[in-house]
C-alpha cells in the first residue's frame, strides 16, 4: 500500500479563508493530520507495542482554537522561533524592534501575527503536503521579502519528515521550528514525567531568569541537565538548581553533539514511554534543540474533551540557539541575499 492522503475543509475562518485538514496514512497504522492553519501538526496516531492506536500529540478539535492556542500546540513558528533579548537586534548596522511579548523580550516573533496564526497555501504530494507562505519586508520587525515552505512527508518506516526552506531578498532572521507537544502514551494520558529521554547533547546554553542565553556553552556533566544517559523526565526536574528554578523545569536549548553546518541528519534524541512501549527517535540538521517539559501549559480544553495542564506534553523544538542574532559566538541564524535557509527534522516511531 502506498501512502494515502485525504483532504477536507475544516472550517472557514473570517478574514483568513478556508482552514483545511490533510490526513497522511501509511500501511503500518500511522496517521498524520496536518492543517494549512499554522502549518500545524494536529493529530499523530501511532500504534503501541500491542498494536493499539493512540493520538500522541496535544491539540484541538476546532480550527478556531488554534487562533488562540496560548501554548502553541503543534504549529510552525516563524520567522524567528524562541526568544530574542530585549526584543531587538541589529543586522548590517540597522537596528530592528520586535514585539515585546515575553517580559522585556520577544518570544516566537509575534503571538498574533506570526506564521503559526497564518493560513498557508497547500499542495499535496505523493507522500505528504507542502505548505507555503509569503512574508513582506518589515512585517513584525523582520527585514526582507521572504518565501517560506514547510513540507510534511510520511514514510513507510513510520518516520515523519519536516523539511523547511526559506529565501529572502535582504539579510534577515530565519529560525523556524515546530512546536508539537508529544505524549507517547496518548494525548489524553496525563503527565510526561515518566517518559525516558536521551539527548545526544553533552552541552547546553544556560539562560538568565528571562530565558535569554548568557552566551556560555557549558557541559551538562554533573547537573540535572544531563540526559546523555537516558533518564525519566521527572527524575531531576524539581532539583535545587538555578536553571530549573528560573524556568520552572526544563525549558532550555541543548547543543547537539558533533553538529557541523553540513546539512546532515544527526540523531539527537530518543524518547521512550515505558507504559505504552512507544519510542520516538528524533533527527535534525540543526545545531540546537529546545527541550520543553510543558511546565507552563495553561489549563485548557483540548481534543476529545480532554483538559490539558502542565507537563502533559513535551516539546523537542529543533532550532538555531535562542537570541543567536545577538550572540556572535553562536551559530548564525542570518539568511537571505542568496543564502537560502534549509533544514530537516525527522521524528521516527518504534516500540519496545
Amino acid at each position: 500500500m502506498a501512502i494515502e492522503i485525504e483532504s477536507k475543509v475544516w472550517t472557514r475562518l473570517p478574514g483568513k479563508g478556508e482552514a483545511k485538514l490533510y490526513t497522511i496514512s501509511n500501511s503500518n497504522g500511522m496517521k498524520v493530520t496536518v492543517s494549512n492553519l499554522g502549518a500545524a501538526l494536529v493529530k499523530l496516531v501511532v500504534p503501541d507495542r500491542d498494536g493499539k492506536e493512540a493520538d500522541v500529540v496535544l491539540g484541538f478539535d476546532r480550527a478556531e482554537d488554534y487562533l488562540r492556542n496560548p501554548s502553541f500546540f503543534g504549529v510552525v513558528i516563524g520567522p524567528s522561533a524562541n526568544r530574542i533579548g530585549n526584543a531587538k537586534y541589529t543586522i548590517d548596522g540597522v537596528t530592528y524592534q520586535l514585539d515585546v511579548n515575553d517580559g522585556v523580550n520577544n518570544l516566537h516573533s509575534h503571538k498574533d501575527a506570526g506564521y503559526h496564526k497564518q493560513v498557508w497555501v497547500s499542495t499535496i504530494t505523493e507522500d505528504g503536503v507542502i505548505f507555503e507562505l509569503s512574508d513582506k519586508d518589515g512585517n513584525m520587525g523582520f527585514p526582507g521579502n521572504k518565501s517560506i515552505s514547510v513540507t510534511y512527508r510520511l514514510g513507510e518506516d513510520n518516520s515523519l519528515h519536516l523539511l523547511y526552506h526559506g529565501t529572502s531578498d535582504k539579510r534577515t532572521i530565519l529560525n523556524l521550528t515546530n512546536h508539537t507537544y508529544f505524549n507517547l502514551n496518548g494525548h489524553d494520558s496525563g503527565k510526561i514525567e515518566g517518559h525516558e529521554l536521551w539527548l545526544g547533547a553533552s552541552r547546553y546554553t544556560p539562560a538568565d531568569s528571562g530565558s535569554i542565553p548568557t552566551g556560555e556553552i557549558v557541559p551538562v556533566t554533573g547537573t540535572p541537565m544531563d540526559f546523555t544517559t537516558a533518564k525519566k523526565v521527572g527524575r531531576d526536574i524539581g532539583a535545587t538548581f538555578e536553571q530549573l528554578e528560573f524556568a520552572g523545569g526544563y525549558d532550555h536549548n541543548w547543543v547537539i553533539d558533533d553538529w557541523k553546518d553540513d546539512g546532515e541528519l544527526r540523531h539527537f534524541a530518543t524518547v521512550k514511554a515505558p507504559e505504552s512501549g512507544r519510542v520516538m527517535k528524533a533527527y535534525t540538521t540543526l545545531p540546537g534543540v529546545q527541550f520543553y517539559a510543558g511546565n507552563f501549559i495553561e489549563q485548557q480544553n483540548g481534543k476529545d474533551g480532554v483538559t490539558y495542564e502542565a507537563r502533559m506534553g513535551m516539546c523537542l523544538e529543533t532550532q538555531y540557539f535562542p537570541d543567536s542574532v545577538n550572540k556572535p559566538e553562536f551559530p548564525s541564524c542570518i539568511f537571505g541575499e542568496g543564502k537560502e535557509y534549509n533544514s530537516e527534522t525527522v521524528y521516527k516511531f518504534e516500540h519496545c
Side-chain angles (χ1 to χ4, degrees):
M1 167 183 152
I3 300 295
E4 294 186 352
I5 304 173
E6 298 178 358
S7 64
K8 69 176 185 179
V9 175
W10 199 0
T11 192
R12 178 171 287 278
L13 298 168
K16 289 183 177 288
E18 287 183 339
K20 300 177 181 178
L21 290 174
Y22 300 86
T23 298
I24 315 162
S25 306
N26 68 14
S27 60
N28 298 315
M30 185 167 165
K31 298 182 181 69
V32 179
T33 300
V34 293
S35 177
N36 63 332
L37 175 57
L41 176 55
V42 176
K43 291 183 181 179
L44 182 57
V45 175
V46 185
D48 69 5
R49 65 162 70 92
D50 299 318
K52 181 182 177 183
E53 296 179 354
D55 181 0
V56 298
V57 300
L58 276 58
F60 303 107
D61 293 321
R62 300 170 65 249
E64 292 84 356
D65 291 331
Y66 283 92
L67 294 178
R68 291 182 285 272
N69 197 7
S71 299
F72 301 91
F73 292 145
V75 290
V76 168
I77 306 294
S80 178
N82 217 311
R83 292 172 174 86
I84 294 176
N86 295 312
K88 62 178 60 175
Y89 63 95
T90 301
I91 296 177
D92 297 333
V94 179
T95 297
Y96 298 91
Q97 178 66 53
L98 302 174
D99 190 43
V100 179
N101 60 15
D102 188 59
V104 299
N105 305 313
N106 174 265
L107 174 64
H108 295 331
S109 302
H110 197 290
K111 292 185 179 180
D112 295 317
Y115 293 173
H116 66 291
K117 296 267 178 95
Q118 303 307 311
V119 173
W120 299 53
V121 175
S122 48
T123 306
I124 295 174
T125 68
E126 286 187 1
D127 57 359
V129 183
I130 301 172
F131 297 116
E132 296 175 285
L133 193 69
S134 295
D135 187 16
K136 292 182 178 180
D137 182 19
N139 187 33
M140 296 180 280
F142 296 93
N145 293 295
K146 297 169 283 293
S147 295
I148 308 295
S149 71
V150 179
T151 302
Y152 288 91
R153 292 173 43 209
L154 177 61
E156 278 293 340
D157 61 351
N158 285 2
S159 60
L160 176 62
H161 298 247
L162 284 73
L163 299 101
Y164 302 82
H165 177 70
T167 63
S168 172
D169 61 3
K170 291 183 181 178
R171 279 163 44 84
T172 192
I173 298 173
L174 287 176
N175 188 13
L176 306 166
T177 198
N178 179 281
H179 210 294
T180 290
Y181 291 73
F182 296 97
N183 186 323
L184 298 188
N185 289 324
H187 79 100
D188 56 353
S189 65
K191 297 186 183 294
I192 48 79
E193 291 165 331
H195 283 35
E196 297 173 0
L197 174 65
W198 169 86
L199 288 175
S202 55
R203 298 175 299 160
Y204 78 106
T205 53
D208 64 19
S209 59
S211 292
I212 301 298
T214 61
E216 301 168 281
I217 296 176
V218 303
V220 298
T221 306
T223 77
M225 314 303 278
D226 190 350
F227 287 90
T228 56
T229 299
K231 66 181 180 182
K232 290 186 176 181
V233 169
R235 193 187 84 177
D236 300 326
I237 202 168
T240 301
F241 186 70
E242 185 178 61
Q243 287 297 303
L244 296 178
E245 293 166 355
F246 279 165
Y250 297 112
D251 187 12
H252 296 78
N253 173 72
W254 272 258
V255 177
I256 294 170
D257 287 341
D258 302 320
W259 178 79
K260 301 177 182 65
D261 193 7
D262 56 7
E264 294 295 317
L265 285 168
R266 288 172 173 79
H267 178 203
F268 71 89
T270 297
V271 185
K272 295 182 180 180
E275 183 179 329
S276 66
R278 290 187 185 89
V279 176
M280 183 178 78
K281 294 181 178 178
Y283 306 79
T284 193
T285 61
L286 288 166
V289 59
Q290 188 86 4
F291 163 45
Y292 175 44
N295 311 313
F296 296 106
I297 297 174
E298 297 179 13
Q299 190 173 97
Q300 59 197 290
N301 295 323
K303 289 181 284 192
D304 306 322
V306 176
T307 300
Y308 296 143
E309 56 187 38
R311 298 189 182 151
M312 285 182 66
M314 57 178 282
C315 303
L316 293 171
E317 305 159 58
T318 54
Q319 61 181 2
Y320 286 91
F321 306 165
D323 201 37
S324 58
V325 69
N326 292 318
K327 301 285 194 300
E329 61 270 37
F330 288 173
S332 175
C333 62
I334 304 301
F335 295 87
E337 291 188 341
K339 184 182 180 184
E340 298 185 353
Y341 173 92
N342 288 288
S343 75
E344 182 177 3
T345 295
V346 180
Y347 301 108
K348 186 172 186 291
F349 293 86
E350 304 172 359
H351 50 77
C352 61

